[in-house]
Amino acid sequence: MNTPVALDADQAHGRLAELTVIDVRTPGEYASGHLPGALNIPLDGLHRALSVLRDARTELLVVCASGNRSANACALLAEHGVPAATLTGGTSAWAERGHELRRPVTPTRAGWSMERQVRLAAGTVVLTGLGLGLMRPAWQLLSAGVAGGLVFSALTNTCGMAALLARLPHNRPRPADLDATLAALEARVLTPRGLGAVGTGPGTSPT
């Protein structure tokens, strides 16, 4: 797999006006703070935007929390002939550099980051396996399986548990919300230089 083009936070900040930013985190993560003008299309829904992105007249920047999911998204887009850059370090690096994050104007319950959800799920399963293993040793295989999965995840830079958690209802956008985002994406990427990627965008406010 080819390594996607990467921009660091300062490079992306300097070019934000000419980029269309796609945030592939869950809706809850997006609500907790996102780049100005970013459109939220969770990773598992990105295929719905492919037909629009193929005809994009603006450069694409894909972001997530730390850069892992955005790199995977860029690889997926590249397979379909859509060039895109990933934000190194994700929104975490963006915030650490002191750049602006925006949140919905309408109060929305911010969700846990996917990394935090994975840690909770993995820890819960390990403790469950160890606890049940006190009564029946075979249950310890459950904990061993999680440990093996984490090692595999690190070696391959993938995370099956994150993919499963992303399918839970609280991590998925409502169909109407995703439809609205796709409509906004189409309007933006089919217009030369977009519609002002650094604007507030619908329903967002600066922090």
Side-chain angles (χ1 to χ4, degrees), residues 13-183:
H13 184 265
R15 299 185 55 201
L16 198 58
E18 62 192 61
L19 298 170
T20 293
V21 183
I22 307 297
D23 192 319
V24 296
R25 296 177 298 164
T26 67
E29 292 177 289
Y30 175 81
S32 69
H34 54 267
L35 273 64
L39 297 171
N40 184 215
I41 304 178
L43 183 58
D44 65 350
L46 194 59
H47 64 281
R48 290 189 55 187
L50 288 174
S51 61
V52 177
L53 294 175
R54 288 193 188 98
D55 298 324
R57 297 178 183 176
T58 59
E59 294 184 63
L60 302 176
L61 176 66
V62 185
V63 305
C64 64
S66 62
N68 289 333
R69 279 174 284 174
S70 60
N72 291 335
C74 287
L76 172 63
L77 292 173
E79 291 175 1
H80 292 273
V82 181
T86 180
L87 178 62
T88 302
T91 52
S92 296
W94 178 272
E96 287 173 359
R97 295 295 297 172
H99 300 313
E100 177 188 15
L101 289 175
R102 294 189 177 172
R103 295 181 173 85
V105 174
T106 303
T108 303
R109 183 179 179 182
W112 285 8
S113 70
M114 185 55 64
E115 288 81 1
R116 186 178 180 186
Q117 292 183 53
V118 168
R119 292 196 300 269
L120 175 64
T124 299
V125 174
V126 168
L127 289 175
T128 299
L130 292 175
L132 293 175
L134 296 175
M135 298 179 291
R136 189 178 294 271
W139 279 105
Q140 294 179 8
L141 294 175
L142 185 63
S143 300
V146 172
L150 292 174
V151 171
F152 179 81
S153 174
L155 293 175
T156 61
N157 197 30
T158 61
C159 186
M161 185 174 290
L164 290 174
L165 291 173
R167 297 181 179 277
L168 295 177
H170 69 274
N171 283 326
R172 298 177 66 85
R174 294 179 300 177
D177 291 340
L178 184 55
D179 288 342
T181 299
L182 292 174

